[in-house]
Amino acid sequence: MRALGVLGVVLGLGLGAGCASSSMASEPPVDTQITVAIASPSPGAQLVAGNGSTITVTGTVATTTPERGALEAWVNGTRVDVKSGAFTAEVTAEPGVNHIKVEGGDRIAPLVSRELDVMWAAGYLPPLAGQTGFDLPAALALQLGQRFFDGRLLGTTLDRSTSPVVAHDLAAALELILWNVNLAGLIPDGFHIGQGNT
């Protein structure tokens, strides 16, 4: 009888301890939501160099639990400053399609990323309204038909006094191109033939 009473006391203490430990357990962690937004440039934007060769990327990073940590952001793998949830970064541009990836977080929750592609060029020539062609006032138009390749007019010369100038065979076409190409402009500065450069 006495042994049973001791056993009951031990079991009671064990159950009580179990209840006490479960009531003292910490509260479940708060579910944090990180939001990353790219304000500029817009996806698919066609950008022109202007005064520089970089793409300006702006955006915001936000969290539902600001008390947990400081906000941070990366643009194409480079960390940028986040002030009041906003960031600005300059990305070196390459001719053609440029991929931009922005990642943001609060140093605790997993990073959230946003990605987009833009087109960048040193210059941009818009097509004519309602057409697919371009207006090039100082261009050289080369229109070749089958007769150009089939009929060789040997001994003809290129008459550059006419307007437009017409090339009747391949030799005249090459001559016309050479007359209109600035070959000196294709040679880099500082390169001089016969001056000992190799």
Side-chain angles (χ1 to χ4, degrees):
M1 234 10 213
R2 185 173 179 181
L4 185 60
V6 172
L7 181 63
V9 170
V10 170
L11 285 175
L13 287 175
L15 290 175
C19 291
S21 63
S22 65
S23 64
M24 291 170 32
S26 61
E27 297 180 5
V30 178
D31 187 20
T32 299
Q33 295 288 332
I34 301 291
T35 305
V36 175
I38 301 176
S40 67
S42 301
Q46 297 178 346
L47 308 175
V48 183
N51 296 328
S53 58
T54 61
I55 299 171
T56 302
V57 180
T58 63
T60 57
V61 180
T63 178
T64 54
T65 55
E67 67 280 356
R68 275 183 47 167
L71 295 175
E72 54 188 2
W74 285 264
V75 177
N76 284 8
T78 302
R79 186 173 179 157
V80 296
D81 292 333
V82 178
K83 296 179 181 177
S84 301
F87 65 86
T88 300
E90 297 292 331
V91 175
T92 302
E94 297 290 337
V97 176
N98 287 256
H99 186 72
I100 296 173
K101 180 177 182 180
V102 175
E103 297 174 288
D106 63 356
R107 301 183 186 179
I108 298 174
L111 292 174
V112 174
S113 66
R114 295 288 179 266
E115 301 180 45
L116 58 82
D117 292 327
V118 296
M119 182 73 75
W120 183 91
Y124 176 69
L125 183 66
L128 297 173
Q131 301 179 27
T132 57
F134 300 89
D135 185 13
L136 299 172
L140 175 64
L142 184 61
Q143 299 176 343
L144 303 177
Q146 189 63 39
R147 182 179 171 205
F148 178 86
F149 297 98
D150 292 343
R152 300 184 61 187
L153 304 175
L154 298 176
T156 59
T157 58
L158 180 67
D159 185 3
R160 294 188 300 119
S161 64
T162 61
S163 180
V165 179
V166 177
H168 295 284
D169 57 17
L170 186 56
L174 291 175
E175 183 181 351
L176 180 60
I177 292 171
L178 291 174
W179 272 108
N180 288 276
V181 172
N182 180 11
L183 296 176
L186 301 177
I187 300 174
D189 292 340
F191 182 81
H192 303 285
I193 297 176
Q195 298 297 320
N197 291 3
T198 56

